[in-house]
Amino acid sequence: MLNYLWALMIIIGTGIGVITGNIEQVSTITISSAKEAVSLCVVMLGVMSLWMGIMQIAKASGIIESLTKLLRPLIRLLFPDIPQDHVVNEYIASNIIANILGLGWAATPMGLKAMEELRLLNKNRETASCDMCTFLIVNISSLQLIPVNVIAYRSEFGSINPAEILGAGLVATAISTVAGILFSIVARRLCNNK
């Protein structure tokens, strides 16, 4: 569906450029935008490589394991149906840690592994379990101490102080995370009462 939407927007934009006699501007902007996209990808690749390396060092040095132990009470609260020593707990903790550090791309592989393990634990394969829904909500709301991606975007596009959004980002993601957790707890209780 998105492919059709993008194709439609390209056709409409090009058509308007032809009708208004601005096809040269459409061509110039297209090439300029492609250049900016490649430049942004290179910057983001560098930023993500740095943080992925830091995550690997943290994992090898035992920091991730220590943080996982710190997160166990929260994970038990949010995911009471998961066995305490199941590997999915580590995947969930790693995903939460990466999201807190603002590493959405680094969080994705662990999130996919966690969701796969949650699917295997799910008795009804046709319907998402409460744990799967809770994980999705927590992952989407994701508290972020350092929004690395947004800071990198702001830096790439010439912001004088790219990190000035730290406070606002922390408040916004804290509110969304608390709201997501409260929603998950209430939804689980309503689901279990049926």
Side-chain angles (χ1 to χ4, degrees):
M1 181 64 182
L2 276 177
N3 291 338
Y4 295 120
L5 182 62
W6 282 110
L8 183 64
M9 288 192 298
I10 290 169
I11 292 168
I12 290 172
T14 305
I16 290 174
V18 169
I19 292 169
T20 61
N22 294 323
I23 194 66
E24 289 178 17
Q25 286 180 332
V26 172
S27 299
T28 303
I29 290 172
T30 301
I31 291 169
S32 172
S33 296
K35 179 182 171 186
E36 287 178 15
V38 170
S39 174
L40 181 62
C41 285
V42 169
V43 168
M44 293 309 293
L45 178 64
V47 169
M48 291 315 297
S49 296
L50 169 70
W51 283 99
M52 290 289 288
I54 289 171
M55 285 293 287
Q56 290 300 317
I57 291 168
K59 187 171 185 175
S61 66
I63 294 172
I64 298 293
E65 187 176 329
S66 298
L67 291 173
T68 300
K69 287 178 184 173
L70 285 174
L71 287 173
R72 280 199 199 277
L74 177 65
I75 292 172
R76 291 298 304 150
L77 172 71
L78 294 174
F79 306 97
D81 299 333
I82 296 176
Q84 198 164 4
D85 58 346
H86 198 279
V87 70
V88 73
N89 292 307
E90 183 180 328
Y91 294 147
I92 290 171
S94 295
N95 178 270
I96 290 172
I97 292 164
N99 275 323
I100 287 173
L101 295 175
L103 308 174
W105 293 347
T108 300
M110 290 298 123
L112 292 173
K113 287 181 180 181
M115 195 59 84
E116 180 63 27
E117 290 295 327
L118 289 171
R119 186 183 68 79
L120 293 174
L121 289 171
N122 188 9
K123 293 175 183 142
N124 180 1
R125 299 285 169 98
E126 299 299 316
T127 305
S129 67
C130 287
D131 288 332
M132 293 170 80
C133 294
T134 299
F135 179 68
L136 186 61
I137 290 168
V138 169
N139 192 29
I140 290 170
S141 65
S142 78
L143 173 68
Q144 290 189 4
L145 298 178
I146 308 166
V148 174
N149 293 343
V150 176
I151 292 171
Y153 291 137
R154 287 174 53 87
S155 176
E156 177 65 18
F157 290 110
S159 174
I160 294 169
N161 186 2
E164 73 183 341
I165 55 141
L166 285 175
L170 181 60
V171 169
T173 59
I175 290 169
S176 70
T177 300
V178 168
I181 288 172
L182 290 174
F183 176 82
S184 295
I185 291 170
V186 170
R188 183 182 295 272
R189 287 191 180 150
L190 289 174
C191 184
N192 289 337
N193 288 337
K194 285 186 179 182

